[in-house]
């Protein structure tokens, strides 16, 4: 099992810890872009991990804030 | 004559496909023309390998285009006589199209170029193989750029192939429903835990899906990061080689096919089968059609007879497994003038996409000089409850002449169809069928088999007296 494959498995595992609801518009190419970045050697993987980290902070902050700034119709973000 | 704009070619602002005096051209913006001239060697190499449809640069004078159409330079493409769409291909056809795309992309990358997109519609079945047709997709590659077509390649090639290879579900209806392949989220839901260990699933489905979900709604700039990490074409090539391995390893897993062993199962004795083939051969000799369409071709026995007598044959069947077998036969026998396609007369491909004109309806693409409709009438009329008159109207719209086989109610196959359902077909008999035939065609010859329960009918256009044999 090579290095990059081990990294993939780890990432996929860690992914399971993320909240899995999609809140908003989903660009159908984003996953593919990030995957290429992730496969782009150690530097690429580090960038994705960094992005992931800031995303995790953002999501955690949102959860900590609770639903106080959620509009009445239940949507967290405008479409 | 007016130059006709292809209604499906609007997506790329750099050029449109036009048909002028029966020739196919692609208009080019000045930038695109410059790029195509610079890529001439690559285009020639791809044409030589048979991976790109025969393409050359021509001037507008040479093309003789009317004023106001196209720029000074255009691309001229060899014409594909019968266009079929990915949702009409069999598994092996889509897989070869995927490999063709990867091969073209690899050749491009080695020469400092790339493909802007990776749509399955950029490939066509032509002269027995899959060829790349969207020359304008070839673009200059700048180091530090990702491959923009990756996600599209997954949706339009990899995922439909995985659906069939891993789940045993034919991809065609899914592809047609969405028009542009299979969405990542859908495939991720369709695969099971067991599939996680299969080739390509963890990386291209699970991980890609995870990334897509993590960052859904995140407003972030990703493109620049590729430059930051000095992303290179070597990384794209590594991804391509991985994809090629996955695609090449995917094997067709047929859903249950009722028709694949039809030749063995069918009620024909060897002698009757030979007589039928002989009748079809003689009929086609007499009709001398340029293009034949075989409706309900099964694994193509009669389409192959037609292939020896017509310049072009379209062989359509609703069963993807049969079409896949035919495609393999064509490859093995090196037959290049038969276009196999998955098509259902009871549910033909309609106009699809933008304005319903992006992808054209089946019948606009398969009209021919002669049809073969052998052992078909009972499936349409009894399985599909289509009135016999409507069936014959449809045939006469597809081609003015041909061979249609009558299958009587006493025939074993029809009896089986009616065994457990109410017979609501009082008009399904030869006398009625013959009258309807004569209203639309000239009935030139009838040959009976199965003690008269089946009748092969050679029909000619009604307004023409049958030529003497």
């Amino acid at each position: 099992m090579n290095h990059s494959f081990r990294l993939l498995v780890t990432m996929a595992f860690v992914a399971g810890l993320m909240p899995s609801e999609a809140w908003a518009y989903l660009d159908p190419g984003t996953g593919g872009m990030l995957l290429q970045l992730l496969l782009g050697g150690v530097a690429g993987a580090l960038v994705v991990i960094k992005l992931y980290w800031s995303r995790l902070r953002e999501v955690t902050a949102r959860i900590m804030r609770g639903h106080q700034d959620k509009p009445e119709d239940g949507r967290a973000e405008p479409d | 004559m007016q130059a006709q704009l292809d209604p499906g070619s609007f997506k790329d602002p750099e050029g449109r496909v036009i048909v002028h005096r029966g020739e196919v051209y692609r208009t080019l913006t000045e930038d695109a023309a410059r790029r195509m001239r610079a890529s001439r060697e690559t285009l020639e190499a791809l044409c030589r390998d048979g991976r790109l449809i025969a393409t050359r640069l021509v001037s507008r004078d040479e093309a003789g285009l009317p004023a106001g159409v196209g720029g000074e330079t255009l691309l001229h493409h060899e014409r594909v006589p019968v266009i079929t769409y990915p949702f009409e291909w069999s598994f092996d056809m889509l897989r070869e199209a995927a490999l063709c795309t990867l091969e073209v992309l690899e050749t491009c990358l080695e020469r400092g170029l790339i493909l802007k997109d990776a749509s399955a519609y950029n490939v066509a079945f032509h002269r027995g193989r899959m060829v790349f047709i969207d020359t304008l997709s070839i673009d200059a590659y700048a180091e530090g750029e990702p491959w923009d077509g990756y996600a599209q390649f997954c949706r339009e090639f990899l995922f439909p192939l995985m659906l069939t290879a891993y789940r045993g579900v034919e991809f065609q209806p899914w592809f047609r429903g969405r028009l542009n392949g299979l969405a990542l989220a859908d495939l991720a839901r369709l695969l099971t835990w067991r599939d996680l260990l299969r080739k390509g699933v963890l990386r291209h489905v699970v991980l890609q899906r995870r990334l897509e979900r993590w960052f859904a709604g995140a407003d972030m700039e990703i493109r620049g990061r590729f430059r930051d990490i000095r992303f290179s074409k070597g990384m794209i090539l590594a991804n391509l080689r991985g994809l090629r391995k996955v695609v090449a390893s995917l094997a067709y897993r047929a859903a249950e096919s009722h028709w694949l062993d039809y030749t063995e199962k069918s009620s024909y004795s060897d002698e009757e089968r030979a007589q039928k083939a002989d009748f079809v051969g003689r009929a086609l000799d007499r009709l001398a059609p340029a293009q034949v369409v075989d409706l309900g071709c099964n694994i193509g026995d009669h389409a192959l007879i037609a292939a020896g007598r017509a310049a072009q044959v379209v062989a359509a069947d609703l069963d993807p497994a049969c079409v896949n077998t035919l495609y393999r036969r064509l490859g093995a026998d090196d037959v290049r003038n038969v276009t196999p396609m998955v098509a259902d007369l009871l549910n033909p491909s309609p106009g699809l996409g933008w304005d319903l004109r992006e992808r054209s309806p089946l019948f606009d693409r398969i009209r021919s000089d002669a049809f073969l409709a052998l052992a078909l009438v009972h499936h349409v009329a009894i399985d599909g409850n289509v009135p016999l008159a409507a069936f014959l109207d449809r045939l006469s719209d597809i081609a003015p002449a041909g061979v249609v086989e009558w299958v009587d109610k006493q025939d074993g196959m029809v009896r089986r169809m009616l065994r457990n359902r109410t017979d609501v077909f009082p008009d399904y008999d030869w006398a009625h069928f013959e009258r309807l035939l004569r209203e639309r065609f000239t009935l030139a010859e009838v040959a009976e088999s199965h003690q008269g329960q089946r009748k092969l009918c050679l029909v000619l256009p009604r307004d023409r007296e049958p030529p003497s044999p």
Side-chain angles (χ1 to χ4, degrees):
Chain A
M1 200 180 275
N2 62 35
H3 170 77
S4 68
F5 189 71
R6 257 204 309 269
L7 184 70
L8 292 184
V9 175
T10 316
M11 294 292 290
F13 176 73
V14 175
L17 304 176
M18 278 295 279
S20 57
E21 281 307 308
W23 298 277
Y25 170 72
L26 220 102
D27 175 13
T30 311
M33 279 269 197
L34 288 160
L35 184 64
Q36 288 186 76
L37 202 52
L38 186 61
L39 299 176
V42 177
L46 284 174
V47 170
V48 176
I49 289 166
K50 240 165 72 186
L51 286 171
Y52 165 68
W53 196 245
S54 61
R55 181 79 181 136
L56 189 66
R57 281 210 328 247
E58 188 189 319
V59 171
T60 314
R62 195 204 307 249
I63 292 168
M64 299 299 275
R65 267 205 315 273
H67 298 278
Q68 61 194 33
D69 47 13
K70 206 170 176 181
E72 295 235 315
D73 65 357
R75 281 190 308 202
E77 286 176 21
D79 288 335
Chain B
M1 195 198 269
Q2 281 278 307
Q4 280 181 320
L5 214 57
D6 179 275
S9 68
F10 60 86
K11 285 200 172 154
D12 191 339
E14 288 196 310
R16 295 283 306 249
V17 172
I18 50 176
V19 178
H20 181 56
R21 295 179 183 146
E23 300 290 316
V24 181
Y25 299 96
R26 199 183 286 270
T27 65
L28 299 169
T29 59
E30 271 178 38
D31 276 354
R34 212 171 300 129
R35 204 173 75 230
M36 288 299 121
R37 273 194 294 269
S39 322
R40 189 178 288 202
E41 272 181 35
T42 309
L43 299 185
E44 283 168 3
L46 288 168
C47 288
R48 262 199 312 277
D49 294 343
R51 275 319 190 185
L52 179 68
I53 187 106
T55 297
R56 60 192 173 87
L57 283 156
V58 293
S59 68
R60 64 170 300 117
D61 289 345
E62 194 183 333
L65 289 174
V69 180
E72 281 310 305
T73 309
L74 300 107
L75 288 170
H76 175 270
H77 296 299
E78 186 184 349
R79 193 183 179 124
V80 178
V82 181
I83 281 281
T84 53
Y85 298 129
F87 51 80
E88 295 163 334
W89 297 344
S90 73
F91 181 90
D92 282 18
M93 295 172 82
L94 184 64
R95 191 178 57 181
E96 201 206 315
L99 294 171
C100 168
T101 302
L102 293 174
E103 221 175 281
V104 170
L105 180 51
E106 251 183 83
T107 306
C108 286
L109 276 170
E110 282 156 9
R111 293 159 177 264
L113 300 163
I114 194 164
L115 296 181
K116 279 194 287 204
D117 59 350
S119 170
Y121 296 93
N122 288 351
V123 183
F125 178 85
H126 183 48
R127 291 184 196 279
R129 63 187 310 207
M130 290 295 175
V131 291
F132 197 76
I133 55 171
D134 185 14
T135 321
L136 259 189
S137 176
I138 297 172
D139 203 355
Y141 177 71
E143 289 287 326
E145 293 285 325
W147 170 33
D148 286 336
Y150 167 69
Q152 191 179 34
F153 181 88
C154 292
R155 285 195 300 274
E156 301 200 12
F157 291 109
L158 185 64
F159 297 162
L161 290 171
M162 280 180 166
L163 180 69
T164 302
Y166 293 162
R167 295 278 87 222
V169 176
E170 299 286 0
F171 65 80
Q172 294 85 359
W174 301 70
F175 207 125
R176 180 165 115 182
R178 277 203 172 261
L179 192 58
N180 294 313
L182 201 61
L184 172 59
D186 290 345
L187 184 72
R189 287 196 170 93
L190 288 164
L191 294 180
T192 67
W193 282 102
R194 233 180 51 195
D195 297 318
L196 286 182
L197 297 175
R198 297 188 200 264
K199 231 179 179 139
V201 171
L202 202 56
R203 176 177 296 196
H204 300 291
V205 184
V206 177
L207 195 56
Q208 193 184 167
R209 173 73 182 135
R210 275 292 162 197
L211 288 164
E212 192 182 78
R213 288 175 83 167
W214 288 347
F215 294 100
D219 182 19
M220 52 186 189
E221 208 272 321
I222 309 172
R223 255 202 126 73
R225 314 275 178 159
F226 284 89
R227 282 186 289 274
D228 296 345
I229 65 157
R230 295 168 200 269
F231 195 79
S232 68
K233 68 178 181 188
M235 291 169 183
I236 300 177
L237 280 167
N239 190 16
L240 290 187
R241 287 185 194 118
L243 279 170
R244 197 170 54 188
K245 269 189 207 153
V246 175
V247 170
S249 76
L250 294 172
Y252 182 45
R253 178 173 153 202
E256 264 177 61
S257 167
H258 302 290
W259 304 109
L260 202 50
D261 50 356
Y262 180 76
T263 317
E264 287 80 52
K265 254 195 215 161
S266 71
S267 50
Y268 282 89
S269 67
D270 287 348
E271 196 193 333
E272 282 169 330
R273 196 173 302 131
Q275 280 168 358
K276 187 172 178 176
D278 185 55
F279 185 92
V280 170
R282 278 188 296 108
L284 291 173
D285 284 339
R286 188 164 161 185
L287 293 171
Q291 183 170 306
V292 177
V293 56
D294 184 354
L295 302 161
C297 67
N298 200 263
I299 60 168
D301 288 349
H302 298 103
L304 288 171
I305 292 172
R309 291 168 166 82
Q312 183 65 39
V313 178
V314 185
D317 201 281
L318 60 81
D319 188 47
C322 284
V323 176
N324 208 50
T325 302
L326 172 58
Y327 175 70
R328 287 178 187 175
R329 280 178 95 179
L330 297 174
D333 299 348
D334 197 26
V335 176
R336 296 178 182 210
N337 62 339
V338 177
T339 302
M341 69 192 299
V342 180
D344 182 359
L345 270 188
L346 294 172
N347 180 17
S349 313
L352 289 166
W354 179 248
D355 263 352
L356 298 175
R357 293 179 72 217
E358 198 180 330
R359 307 291 163 213
S360 59
L362 177 72
F363 298 132
D364 287 358
R365 289 175 283 129
I366 64 166
R367 276 198 189 88
S368 299
D369 305 302
F371 58 77
L372 298 177
L374 307 170
L376 182 69
V377 61
H378 49 314
H379 296 297
V380 174
I382 292 178
D383 271 347
N385 285 50
V386 174
L388 287 175
F391 171 64
L392 292 177
D393 283 341
R394 172 43 50 215
L395 287 187
S396 64
D397 177 67
I398 291 173
V403 179
V404 56
E405 186 176 18
W406 170 251
V407 184
D408 208 73
K409 257 188 195 170
Q410 299 314 310
D411 178 87
M413 185 64 107
V414 180
R415 276 213 308 262
R416 203 179 316 159
M417 284 172 154
L418 287 172
R419 188 161 295 151
N420 294 308
R421 59 177 292 192
T422 317
D423 182 350
V424 289
F425 311 99
D427 292 339
Y428 190 89
D429 62 55
W430 165 248
H432 181 52
F433 185 73
E434 187 187 7
R435 186 169 58 76
L436 295 171
L437 261 186
R438 289 186 190 278
E439 282 170 13
R440 290 159 182 82
F441 303 96
T442 298
L443 183 55
E445 202 180 327
V446 180
E448 292 190 353
S449 72
H450 295 67
Q451 297 89 44
Q453 285 155 17
R454 292 193 173 208
K455 291 181 174 68
L456 287 166
C457 310
L458 166 61
V459 295
L460 306 173
R462 194 162 176 244
D463 50 15
R464 205 177 77 188
E465 281 307 301
S468 49

